[in-house]
Amino acid sequence: MSPFRPSILIVDDLPANLVALEKVLAPMAATVVKAHSGNEALAACIDQDFAAVLLDIDMPGMDGYEVAAFLRGEARTARLPILFVTASYRDEAHELQGYGAGAVDYIEKPISDFILRSKVQVFLDLYNSRRRLEEELARSEAMRSELIESEERLRHAVIDAPIPVLMHAEDGEILLISRRLSEATGLAAPEIPTLAAWVDRAFGPRAAEVRTRVASLFGIPAAQPIGEYEVRTGDGRVLTWDFHIGPLPPLPDGRRVLISMALDVTETRRARDALERSVLDLARSNAELETFAYVASHDLREPLRMVTMYLSLLERRLGETLDDEGREFIDFARDGAVRMDRLILDLLEYSRVGRVDRPAQDLDLDEVLAAVTHTLGTLIDETGAEITVPQPLPKVHCNFSEVTRLFQNVLANALKYRRPGAPPRITITSEPEGGFQRFCVADNGIGIDRQYFQRIFGIFQRLHTREQYDGTGIGLAVCKKTVEHYGGRIWVDSEEGVGSRFFFTLPG
Ligand code: ADP
């Protein structure tokens, strides 16, 4: 923006005079506008503002006094400083007439350049400072109305806020509350004119503590979470509100202001409390169940051992007197005891998954597989099975014996549920999935009907009789409990008569 340059109007019917005046004024920081008559001068004043007018008195047609009278009569030019330029009428009568017409000064001819410039400079300075003042006024007026508007916007924002909001000054006066606060508590603004009234009614036994807390917040630089408080409503209900309190600019009288905002978390809190309670209940009953299973399976083995031992004693004592049927009965009884022992052992294993005495570590799966194939060695040889691991397996972060048991159960099933006449072909692969490793153990066995894909992971769930395939129905339940203990999952995809693919994920 180019700096503002004020204008000066010079009026004279003689062009030579105008030129002479213009020359004198040329060095000044002003634009000189010339008018050759009173009419021309008035027309110029309609178009623009002048810092001052140098007006010749003796002009044909409209003389200087008449021009001055016109200018004084118009609101726009009423305060325009008029300097009469005169030689011939310099007597008291004319001078009075000049002042009466609104002159502020006289300049006598012949004109002294210095005096003319000094006088004009006074009016230029006056004009410039008045203009600056007006600009300043306009600016502060604009700021004031902007302030009023933004205050109005804030009022609306607070009143219409969809959450409880309260604004209060440091002397305790409540300045604004949101409609939502009134609706939720049943307290209208006139009922809570002060912070003390609000706190006493809403916070009951914690009122004193809340008052001290709020008072300590004047001076905080930004809004901060205050925490959950119970708020009593007018009709005796208790709500839970999560408060945030922050500073606002002070009032014009200097009082500091705080704005409190709350989220009604009554329902969330109720749900959370209920959830926490049921999680605790669940954890407790889970722990009890695990302890029960552990103790029960442990203690059950002892009488079982006695049964087996006395069966053998009985067999030995009766010796030759035992007929074939008697021998068969004893065999059945011993068989039952052996099976029960296996069941108990599997149950014991199931109850032990995830116990604290089995810490996780970085595991090399080659070692795990070596242990598994060693255990299953005889079965692998007998069935002519081939176990292929096409890519090196990644490391996992788990407990060694649990992961060994996991692979062992899945591989033992792949060997056990083989198709007659088709030696087991088992492939183990893996790929990363999120922070986990996803493993796949694929076999070419009898397969599983789709409707049992979920059921087989339940405890004691079997799809075959003991005569068809031996087992307790706990193996996959142990696998599921193991992977879930590590945050993973296990599932199966299979086609009957073709084979199965068991997938599971473990933390990498
Ligand atoms: P178990 O083998 O002792 O019966 P599991 O819990 O290991 O118990 O398996 C549950 C059932 O899932 C098995 O009885 C069997 O019917 C089915 N199953 C498991 N693995 C396979 C597999 N690789 N191929 C076909 N069926 C399987």
Side-chain angles (χ1 to χ4, degrees), residues 413-414 416-417 443 446-448 456 461-464 471-476 500 502:
N413 282 348
K416 181 164 56 167
Y417 299 103
D443 66 46
I446 58 171
I448 303 164
I456 54 169
Q461 296 300 326
R462 310 203 62 225
L463 305 181
H464 309 277
T472 56
I474 297 180
L476 287 180
S500 307
F502 280 85

Side-chain angles (χ1 to χ4, degrees), residues 16-32:
N17 284 351
L18 284 176
V19 170
L21 269 177
E22 191 180 18
K23 223 167 120 189
V24 177
L25 299 174
M28 306 198 71
T31 304
V32 177

Side-chain angles (χ1 to χ4, degrees), residues 24-25 27-28 112-122:
V24 177
L25 299 174
M28 306 198 71
S112 146
D113 296 359
F114 176 74
I115 290 178
L116 177 66
R117 277 204 288 266
S118 307
K119 288 191 173 182
V120 169
Q121 187 60 50
V122 170

